[in-house]
Amino acid sequence: MTDDCLFCRIVAGEIPADVVRRGDGMLAFRDIAPKAPVHVLVIPERHVHSIAGVDGLDSDERAQMLAFIADVAAQEGIEESGYRVTTNHGPDALQSVFHLHWHVMGGTTLSESM
Ligand code: AMP
């Protein structure tokens, strides 16, 4: 837990979120400004600043994170129709929240430029 981290505060229940799945040290909740009909953020509960800090997660957590992303997409009903998973690191990618998160987007045909 990092006190000044928005997503750590969501994990701790200090800030409300529309949680869709929780388990195995992972949390999934709806993006507050969705860019697709389904736009869920998947985060490890343990704080790492971005994918560049993924060494801060152990190998079990990394494996669980990938499986969790796929489980969330299936739960959201977009496994057949398709979905995109992205993560942003650093200024060129316009990362705005500095806690590793995966955007899981689907529910429509996504723009090539997203
Ligand atoms: P990024 O720009 O990749 O760092 O993505 C951060 C994402 O977090 C953006 O898509 C925001 O809309 C989303 N976001 C910011 N604050 C919240 C919040 N309180 N609850 C849910 N999503 C949020």
Side-chain angles (χ1 to χ4, degrees):
M1 167 87 185
T2 301
D3 286 342
D4 59 355
C5 170
L6 171 64
F7 287 176
C8 281
R9 296 186 69 197
I10 287 176
V11 169
E14 295 174 7
I15 292 176
D18 187 357
V19 171
V20 299
R21 192 176 183 94
R22 181 169 219 155
D24 291 332
M26 304 295 147
L27 183 68
F29 52 96
R30 298 198 190 285
D31 196 293
I32 204 167
K35 295 182 176 61
V38 175
H39 187 171
V40 174
L41 301 176
V42 171
I43 68 170
E45 291 189 344
R46 196 197 314 219
H47 182 88
V48 291
H49 64 88
S50 75
I51 193 168
V54 79
D55 284 355
L57 302 178
D58 63 36
S59 55
D60 283 349
E61 287 171 311
R62 294 186 212 181
Q64 281 158 350
M65 192 163 60
L66 279 182
F68 194 85
I69 290 167
D71 288 346
V72 165
Q75 180 183 313
E76 290 293 310
I78 55 174
E79 188 175 273
E80 293 295 319
S81 52
Y83 57 93
R84 183 173 292 157
V85 181
T86 61
T87 191
N88 294 318
H89 164 71
D92 278 358
L94 306 179
Q95 182 182 6
S96 62
V97 178
F98 296 89
H99 181 129
L100 174 59
H101 53 280
W102 302 86
H103 297 260
V104 181
M105 291 180 286
T108 190
T109 302
L110 299 169
S111 159
E112 286 182 23
S113 61
M114 280 176 73

